[in-house]
Amino acid sequence: MKNILSFLDSNGIQFKKIGQQYVCRCPICKGDNAVHKHNAQINLNFNNIYCYSEGKVYFASDIRAALGGKVL
Ligand SMILES: [Zn+2]
């Protein structure tokens, strides 16, 4: 399985390291008005992201499915 960070990187989804955590803007909902910039936490152990705005977990396969043919 492709590392979630490589997956995000190859699809132009920016992420950032804050302390020990990697965060990004949810590629599915693109965040909401209440949460600026980063609204999802990247979990390297489980190779997924957790979106705070939606309260959902997304694996690379979920993101790929949601974004259609635009992703690798
Ligand atoms: Zn989201």
Side-chain angles (χ1 to χ4, degrees):
M1 190 199 305
K2 197 172 186 179
N3 177 283
I4 189 74
L5 292 181
S6 325
F7 173 80
L8 295 175
D9 192 44
S10 58
N11 289 290
I13 300 165
Q14 296 187 342
F15 54 86
K16 176 178 171 183
K17 191 173 189 187
I18 298 178
Q20 299 299 310
Q21 299 291 336
Y22 282 94
V23 296
C24 68
R25 192 170 178 86
C26 175
I28 309 297
C29 67
K30 313 287 187 190
D32 55 35
N33 293 332
V35 186
H36 296 286
K37 296 181 182 176
H38 306 103
N39 67 323
Q41 183 171 313
I42 300 169
N43 189 325
L44 296 178
N45 294 324
F46 294 102
N47 227 21
N48 61 24
I49 70 169
Y50 175 75
C51 172
Y52 293 112
S53 300
E54 300 174 278
K56 286 183 184 173
V57 167
Y58 293 113
F59 287 88
S61 55
D62 301 318
I63 298 168
R64 185 180 292 118
L67 301 186
K70 290 179 286 183
V71 296
L72 301 175

